[in-house]
Every structure is written in structure tokens, then in C-alpha cells.
Amino acid sequence: MKKTKLEGEQYWSQRYRDNRTGWDLGIPSSPIRTYIDQLENKDLKILIPGAGNAYEAQYIYKKGFKKVYVLDISPIPLEQFKVRNPEFPDTQLLHEDFFFHRSSYDLIIEQTFFCSFPPLQGQRSKYAMKMVDLLKTGGKLVGVWFDIPIKEDMEKRPFGGDKDTYLSLISPHLKVDTFEKCYNSVPERMDKELFGIFVKE
């Protein structure tokens, strides 16, 4: 992991120190786990950006997918992940700013990352364009987006959205394979999540 300070790192690191991580389920998200369970190609190169404690990465790696990369702007969850998974390669733990990351992937997993950005059109559009930049042709952005009202308070994450809002941001850049209400959310998130698969053509 890199040891350089990144813009925004202090804010997120303090939230981990204060245990203000209400988005953290403590387990892999069930919609993402269900999706991973049906994948057969263990050679996929996978990125989980804004991964936090990265329970999904832990699950994927132990399923035999060895090309899993975990990216976060704070080193704290990456260090905690390494303690839980000492066999995980250090070179695949990326202490970086997502928008400056350079590589290409077959699959990018979205789990509570988009909702960390303030609901500003420019910032959210930048997210979608960066996903295009990081995906290989035929690559997929797959995951869960919160289907909850957007809060006016710019400090009260997670920031939500609705299906139409997300599609207006992502569909100009990636083909929509599916984007529907999750049928298998954990009980506390039932009817509050959308599951999506978007493809780079």
C-alpha cells in the first residue's frame, strides 16, 4: 500500500476512527454475494473501489478469484482487511484516489461507493466516466445503489438517489443490462437497494 496522504483521506480515516460507518454491514452484501456465486471465470480481474472493510473482496478471494483489487482513500480499512486476510497480496491493496487510479478491469463491484459522493451533478458524472475508463471492452460495473431520498445535509452520508437519477448518470456511458429493486437485500435494507449490471460496449 502507498503511504502518501490523499485529498479526502483525513475525513474518511476519522470516520473509521470514530466508528461512524453506518453503511458497513459487517458481512458481504447479499445481492453481490449472489452475483459472485454464479460467476465461473476465476481469471476475471476485479476492482472494488471505495471498498472500506471489503467483506465482498474477502468473500470473492476465498472463492478462488485471485485477481481482486481493493481500493480505498483511507489506509485504515485496508490495514484492517490485511489483518483479517494475511494471505491477501499487499500489491492488490490500493491506497489511492479512485479518480487517479490507472488500470483496466473485467469487473468493477459497486457497494456503497457511489453514495459517498455528495449529490452534485459534476461529481456523480465524473464517477460514471471514470468507470468507463477503468473497464475493459465488455467489462461490467455490477453492484448495489441505495434507493433512498437524497438528504439536503451534505455531511449525512450515505447520499441516495432513485432509479431514474442513476440511469441518467450511468446509461449515457454504459449499456444497461439490468437495474431493478433488489429482491434479496438484508432485512434492514429491503426496498432500499437497486441491483445493477452495466456493460462497456
Side-chain angles (χ1 to χ4, degrees), residues 7-186:
E7 184 178 354
E9 176 183 328
Q10 182 175 348
Y11 171 85
W12 289 105
S13 291
Q14 193 60 50
R15 289 197 67 140
Y16 282 102
R17 292 188 194 100
D18 295 342
N19 198 31
R20 290 189 295 130
T21 55
W23 64 85
D24 191 323
L25 289 172
I27 57 173
S29 166
S30 50
I32 293 174
R33 188 177 66 242
T34 299
Y35 177 79
I36 294 301
D37 285 345
Q38 54 83 44
L39 291 178
E40 296 180 356
N41 181 6
K42 298 293 176 68
D43 200 43
L44 292 173
K45 186 179 179 184
I46 303 170
L47 174 68
I48 306 182
N53 285 311
Y55 302 106
E56 289 77 17
Q58 181 175 323
Y59 183 78
I60 294 168
Y61 190 76
K62 290 183 176 179
K63 290 275 291 184
F65 295 83
K66 298 306 179 186
K67 297 179 181 179
V68 182
Y69 293 78
V70 179
L71 184 151
D72 205 276
I73 200 165
S74 170
I76 293 175
L78 298 175
E79 292 162 359
Q80 293 172 345
F81 179 88
K82 184 64 176 180
V83 170
R84 299 196 321 267
N85 302 276
E87 75 286 358
F88 194 88
D90 288 347
T91 55
Q92 291 168 222
L93 291 172
L94 309 174
H95 174 216
E96 296 183 32
D97 184 323
F98 167 73
F99 293 108
F100 292 98
H101 182 56
R102 296 286 181 269
S103 193
S104 58
Y105 297 90
D106 301 297
L107 175 62
I108 300 178
I109 299 291
E110 162 64 45
Q111 169 61 10
T112 72
F113 180 47
F114 182 93
C115 68
S116 69
F117 298 115
L120 305 173
Q121 184 73 18
Q123 187 79 346
R124 290 184 152 193
S125 295
K126 187 179 174 184
Y127 159 99
M129 290 185 286
K130 185 61 181 177
M131 289 297 181
V132 174
D133 179 54
L134 290 173
L135 284 169
K136 299 176 183 178
T137 300
K140 297 178 180 180
L141 168 62
V142 176
V144 174
W145 287 258
F146 279 126
D147 187 16
I148 57 176
I150 294 176
K151 301 180 179 75
E152 293 182 4
D153 188 332
M154 290 293 103
E155 282 300 311
K156 289 190 176 179
R157 292 170 169 86
F159 300 115
D162 56 36
K163 183 177 180 178
D164 289 342
T165 299
Y166 295 133
L167 287 176
S168 72
L169 294 163
I170 300 174
S171 63
H173 307 284
L174 297 168
K175 178 185 175 184
V176 183
D177 185 293
T178 187
F179 197 46
E180 301 295 341
K181 280 273 192 184
C182 290
Y183 70 88
N184 56 349
S185 299
V186 296

